[in-house]
Amino acid sequence: MSALTNAIDILRCFSAARPDLSFADVMALTGKPKSSTSRLLRSLRDCGLLEQDPHTRRYRPGLLTFELGRLHRAHDDLLELAERELRDVCARTGHTGYIAVLDGFEQVVLRIAPGSNPLRVVNPPGQRTPALMTSNGRAMLARLSDTDIRARVPTPYPKLPHNSPQTFAELMARLNEIRRTGVSDAADESIEGVGSQGFALASGETGELIGIAISYSVQATTANERAQVRKELAAMAAKLGRLTGDPLLGYDGPPRSGAIGR
């Protein structure tokens, strides 16, 4: 950990005002001994975090830092784009929307778009819920391989609400149905009296997977309202798929299997 901290101290020396540095510059900025500075610079160069000009011998950020930065920007761009579109849908429907990611067999809420309806369902960012019992969670799982799903789901199988899959076999049946029909919904599962519709979106550049859902009161929402939510989400999925290069959603036509909730 000490070596990692020292390496980070060196990387922090680089900035827009200091795009390249000499060995002496790094020593002066970090205050580290000559021997350890030399060793760390060599290690950072060898692993691709730094590059060294063969003529001037000055150091600059390497290709690996560029690749990591691109992934970070793509992550932020994906979330910002999805949240912007989700807020528009929530404004039109009055329902609350969520963006989540998978962490093992759980989903973690990253962003929330509050609705305007008096009856609103609000799960704060950071909240964890078994993905097995949510519409966007199951939509994300359906985009994974069977082997990956098996590795994520704990043994013994967790106890879930009665409307959720009660065994691993039931879960796989639900996920295969999502893959076949493109429909992912939930009702009276993670929260009693609450329903949701969701879909999964994958970045064509990084492969990052997020789940997007709209939630509502089961009793207070009519069939026509739920149909309108499905229509809004379908249009959103198609648009985001084209913009992000999602290999499943990014094409002209109706959503493919695993794409959209009911």
Side-chain angles (χ1 to χ4, degrees):
M1 185 58 69
S2 176
L4 177 60
T5 301
N6 289 334
I8 291 173
D9 288 341
I10 290 178
L11 292 175
R12 291 186 186 278
C13 293
F14 294 90
S15 66
R18 298 192 298 261
D20 56 36
L21 297 169
S22 68
F23 178 82
D25 292 333
V26 175
M27 282 187 60
L29 289 167
T30 62
K32 299 183 187 303
K34 181 177 180 179
S35 59
S36 60
T37 300
S38 176
R39 184 173 61 255
L40 285 167
L41 285 172
R42 185 168 58 250
S43 296
L44 290 170
R45 181 197 62 198
D46 292 346
C47 73
L49 284 169
L50 291 180
E51 293 176 352
Q52 187 176 27
D53 189 291
H55 302 293
T56 67
R57 311 302 295 170
R58 295 175 70 84
Y59 293 90
R60 59 178 176 263
L63 181 60
L64 181 56
T65 59
F66 169 77
E67 292 172 340
L68 293 173
R70 185 179 64 180
L71 290 174
H72 177 72
R73 287 193 300 274
H75 170 78
D76 281 352
D77 290 346
L78 181 67
L79 287 178
E80 292 297 331
L81 180 61
E83 183 179 13
R84 184 167 62 247
E85 294 298 323
L86 181 60
R87 286 188 179 277
D88 288 343
V89 171
C90 292
R92 289 192 293 270
T93 64
H95 300 302
T96 299
Y98 298 94
I99 301 175
V101 293
L102 286 175
D103 184 18
F105 82 105
E106 295 181 318
Q107 70 170 40
V108 182
V109 175
L110 295 183
R111 304 285 176 91
I112 179 173
S116 58
N117 290 345
L119 291 173
R120 286 185 290 173
V121 182
V122 178
N123 292 321
Q127 178 165 316
R128 290 175 173 269
T129 305
L132 320 181
M133 61 185 192
T134 68
S135 61
N136 52 342
R138 287 195 289 260
M140 287 188 284
L141 289 171
R143 297 285 294 262
L144 306 179
S145 68
D146 290 2
T147 301
D148 193 354
I149 297 167
R150 175 69 275 182
R152 288 171 180 267
V153 178
T155 302
Y157 189 83
K159 183 174 177 59
L160 301 177
H162 70 278
N163 280 351
S164 300
Q166 296 299 298
T167 65
F168 184 76
E170 288 184 15
L171 171 66
M172 290 308 303
R174 293 280 285 272
L175 297 184
N176 285 328
E177 186 69 6
I178 292 171
R179 292 165 174 168
R180 185 181 69 82
T181 66
V183 170
S184 185
D185 62 357
D188 291 313
E189 295 189 54
S190 60
I191 302 177
E192 187 175 354
V194 173
S196 70
Q197 301 175 34
F199 69 94
L201 175 72
S203 167
E205 180 178 4
T206 67
E208 180 183 6
L209 185 67
I210 61 175
I212 301 169
I214 295 287
S215 64
Y216 42 77
S217 166
V218 172
Q219 293 183 341
T221 306
T222 66
N224 286 339
E225 288 178 301
R226 291 193 292 273
Q228 183 60 33
V229 168
R230 182 183 181 185
K231 181 179 178 181
E232 291 276 2
L233 284 175
M236 178 184 174
K239 181 177 180 180
L240 286 175
R242 290 192 296 270
L243 292 174
T244 63
D246 187 307
L248 189 63
L249 304 177
Y251 74 109
D252 294 323
R256 297 182 188 177
S257 297
I260 190 66
R262 176 166 56 197

